[in-house]
Amino acid sequence: MKDIYLHEYQPRSRLFTKTTEVLKSRFPVIDAHNHLGDSFGGGWDKRPVAELLDVLDEAGVETYVDLDGGWGEEILHQHLDHFKAAAPERFQVFGGVDWAAWAGQGNGFGEWAAQKLRAQTSAGAQGLKIWKKFGLQVRDHLGQLVAINDRRLDPIWATAGELNLPVMIHVADPVAFFDPMDNRNERWEELSNHPDWHFPSPPYPSFQSIMDDLADLVTRHSNTIFIGAHVGCYSENLAWVSELLARCPNFYVDISARISELGRQPYTARQFFLNHADQILFGTDMGPDLETYRIYYRFLETNDEYFNYGKAGIPGQGRWFIYGLYLPDDVLEKVYFLNAQRVLQIDK
């Protein structure tokens, strides 16, 4: 028997398990975490909106939240003009914070950014997206790393609360991305393909310190709605996320890009959905892709066992398969639609 490389190893399961085809979600869907540009959304900003609407209609997605406006105000206006203007009822576009401007604003950056947020809202932005460089790479005018709960930024969060803008916040990646790159790292294969996704401490802050700062931020700004992207950025520890959800009614989470984690702990994950049915939002973070939507629907709606959470033969986030949660209808309707309808203030 000859040795083979890991990338050559493509095992096929010999289990005989049920396969349920879910072509359309049981209830209408609001996709609360996604993209439409080149980097993550498939480049739909260069394609006719009518084609995009056909895909969303087939998937049962009634409203699509485009977070790409957070990349910059030029992109925000482009997406407002291209998507929102063409189908106002179908899209929401979130704005962002220009962290690079801190160098010229000094300690007044928070107030400056809050005023920029007001201008973005006047232009049509309906939420605020915070990218993961915040907490990992954003530095102030003195070159110091900025903590997530830095009080100089309080005007931003207070203004979002005043304007009833939800804050979609992504501050940390999977825990393994912070672990040493050794033979014990369960995401070694993924990180070896994307070394820039590795955030060892030092020089980066520890994963837990980032999460503790997030919890402090959400707790202090109780009048502002925060949506913790990717199951609150801690899908590996649902007990931690559950405690914060229970303590902070202004905190919500979405499930985007994390059914890989949720689906390998199906008993804990199902109970998590049942316990926090009013604070969980649907999202994929994979662009408007019909096959991806159907994998998510299968995960949420069926009791299928041990199936691939991705489209490739070897799933990208870890060499494991997942199990369906078989959620009850009342929970499904909240996760698919009602929770996001409330948080995003969508009139129906």
Side-chain angles (χ1 to χ4, degrees):
M1 181 174 65
K2 75 179 188 73
D3 292 338
I4 62 174
Y5 292 103
L6 180 60
H7 73 269
E8 298 175 313
Y9 182 55
Q10 309 239 346
R12 58 191 178 114
S13 171
R14 304 305 291 160
L15 283 175
F16 287 87
T17 57
K18 176 170 62 74
T19 299
T20 305
E21 188 177 47
V22 183
L23 298 180
K24 202 164 187 175
S25 55
R26 190 182 299 271
F27 297 97
V29 167
I30 296 172
D31 189 338
H33 186 135
N34 225 316
H35 306 273
L36 288 169
D38 280 331
S39 297
F40 300 105
W44 283 93
D45 52 343
K46 300 177 180 64
R47 300 170 64 176
V49 175
E51 292 182 12
L52 171 58
L53 293 176
D54 287 343
V55 174
L56 298 181
D57 287 344
E58 189 170 356
V61 176
E62 292 200 355
T63 304
Y64 189 100
V65 176
D66 171 22
L67 301 176
D68 286 344
W71 283 118
E73 291 195 8
E74 181 179 353
I75 296 176
L76 169 65
H77 288 284
Q78 289 173 353
H79 283 220
L80 286 170
D81 292 342
H82 186 66
F83 299 108
K84 185 71 173 177
E89 303 282 319
R90 302 297 295 274
F91 299 103
Q92 290 200 2
V93 184
F94 279 28
V97 175
D98 181 7
W99 300 110
W102 200 319
Q105 298 296 326
N107 286 328
F109 174 79
E111 290 287 356
W112 176 87
Q115 292 307 311
K116 297 293 284 186
L117 179 59
R118 291 184 186 278
Q120 291 176 16
T121 306
S122 296
Q126 291 174 275
L128 175 63
K129 172 61 192 292
I130 302 298
W131 300 90
K132 67 182 180 183
K133 66 184 297 185
F134 179 50
L136 290 172
Q137 297 167 330
V138 171
R139 296 183 178 273
D140 67 10
H141 58 295
L142 300 176
Q144 298 298 309
L145 188 68
V146 176
I148 290 162
N149 58 348
D150 191 312
R151 290 181 180 267
R152 291 174 294 179
L153 300 177
D154 282 354
I156 301 175
W157 321 125
T159 299
E162 175 193 335
L163 298 175
N164 292 318
L165 295 178
V167 179
M168 175 70 73
I169 186 163
H170 175 187
V171 294
D173 273 336
V175 181
F177 286 14
F178 292 77
D179 291 340
M181 273 288 286
D182 57 24
N183 63 339
R184 301 178 62 191
N185 193 311
E186 67 174 349
R187 307 291 278 264
W188 183 92
E189 190 173 10
E190 184 180 10
L191 289 171
S192 68
N193 292 326
H194 303 280
D196 56 318
W197 294 357
H198 190 219
F199 304 110
S201 176
Y204 295 97
S206 69
F207 177 88
Q208 195 57 55
S209 70
I210 293 173
M211 297 310 300
D212 291 342
D213 287 350
L214 173 63
D216 179 65
L217 174 67
V218 171
T219 303
R220 286 196 296 108
H221 290 276
S222 58
N223 292 324
T224 302
I225 290 177
F226 291 91
I227 305 168
H230 314 306
V231 196
C233 303
Y234 206 176
S235 54
E236 300 91 339
N237 189 345
L238 295 182
W240 189 94
V241 180
S242 183
E243 189 277 331
L244 187 58
L245 286 169
R247 182 157 51 89
C248 298
N250 61 313
F251 189 54
Y252 294 77
V253 300
D254 71 51
I255 64 170
S256 65
R258 291 299 182 271
I259 63 171
S260 58
E261 296 291 349
L262 295 170
R264 64 171 174 164
Q265 48 180 328
Y267 303 128
T268 301
R270 190 176 197 276
Q271 193 60 52
F272 177 79
F273 275 80
L274 296 179
N275 290 346
H276 303 288
D278 294 321
Q279 291 171 277
I280 301 173
L281 310 182
F282 180 88
T284 70
D285 198 29
M286 300 292 181
D289 181 81
L290 194 58
E291 185 178 354
T292 297
Y293 279 126
R294 288 170 175 170
I295 293 171
Y296 272 68
Y297 301 159
R298 182 184 181 191
F299 165 67
L300 294 171
E301 296 185 21
T302 79
N303 60 358
D304 285 2
E305 298 179 291
Y306 200 70
F307 61 91
N308 194 332
Y309 60 83
K311 298 192 295 181
I314 299 299
Q317 296 181 324
R319 285 175 173 259
W320 57 76
F321 282 4
I322 64 171
Y323 301 79
L325 298 188
Y326 197 47
L327 295 174
D329 280 358
D330 61 327
V331 175
L332 282 172
E333 187 176 18
K334 290 178 180 180
V335 171
Y336 276 143
F337 191 87
L338 296 178
N339 294 339
Q341 180 188 36
R342 182 176 66 254
V343 169
L344 301 174
Q345 303 173 72
I346 296 173
D347 295 327
K348 288 291 180 182

